[in-house]
Amino acid sequence: MSVTETTKTLAPAGTWTADPVHSNVSFEVGYAGVNTFRGSFTDFSATLSGDSLEGSAKVASVDVKDEQLNGHLQTPDFFDAARYPEIEFRASGLERIDGDRVEGSGELTIKGVTQPVTLSGTISEPATDPFGRERLGLRLETSIDRTQYGVSWNAPNQSGGDYLANDVKLIAELAFVRTEA
């Protein structure tokens, strides 16, 4: 038996705005060849309308559970927050495929460098919260080579190889509220 993929509108009509309290924008990168290091951005925004998604994150809001490392991530070694205070994302070709699966492409800008990215994830059906607001959830992932964006700091690992992997997984788990019908 074969399964036929069907495409339908990503989000119901209207404008949907991310609820930052119930959303998360994060990253994962291999560290020291032994585990995955995780961080997130606490100050971000995202708007979904039809099949278009736009968002940004303030570099100064990067959080990796260590104040000294948070500061190092602000420097030119990593994000260079003084020159490039925001990371930006735009996608206009997101499609819902077979129920809750989402695929598409977009553009990600880090340190003034814009590169295409391929996205995959899931979306929920709208639901009404206890306060009468319509909500939906969207989870998207992509992987990038951080060095293509000028985020190239590294150090040799004493056991061989580099301390940080170049491939970074980006994850957006967004709870949207309909703000315009």
Side-chain angles (χ1 to χ4, degrees), residues 57-174:
K58 303 274 188 211
V59 170
S61 75
V62 69
D63 181 21
V64 294
K65 300 180 183 177
D66 180 280
E67 285 303 315
Q68 186 175 356
L69 185 51
N70 284 340
H72 189 200
L73 291 172
Q74 305 297 315
T75 71
D77 284 345
F78 288 94
F79 294 114
D80 198 356
R83 290 182 57 205
Y84 306 102
E86 289 192 339
I87 295 171
E88 297 178 342
F89 174 78
R90 286 184 178 74
S92 60
L94 296 174
E95 294 181 338
R96 182 187 292 229
I97 300 170
D98 278 343
D100 70 346
R101 285 190 317 122
V102 175
E103 293 180 357
S105 59
E107 292 185 336
L108 177 66
T109 303
I110 301 173
K111 290 180 78 170
V113 177
T114 302
Q115 298 281 340
V117 293
T118 302
L119 305 157
S120 64
T122 57
I123 190 165
S124 71
E125 292 297 327
T128 303
D129 70 17
F131 307 102
R133 296 175 295 202
E134 277 190 280
R135 293 180 168 270
L136 64 84
L138 176 64
R139 180 183 187 350
L140 293 173
E141 292 185 9
T142 191
S143 290
I144 64 166
D145 178 343
R146 65 187 179 88
T147 63
Q148 291 183 348
Y149 294 88
V151 182
S152 54
W153 180 92
N154 222 328
N157 191 346
Q158 298 294 324
S159 300
D162 288 328
Y163 225 55
L164 292 178
N166 290 339
D167 291 335
V168 178
K169 181 190 284 188
L170 305 176
I171 305 147
E173 296 174 293
L174 304 168

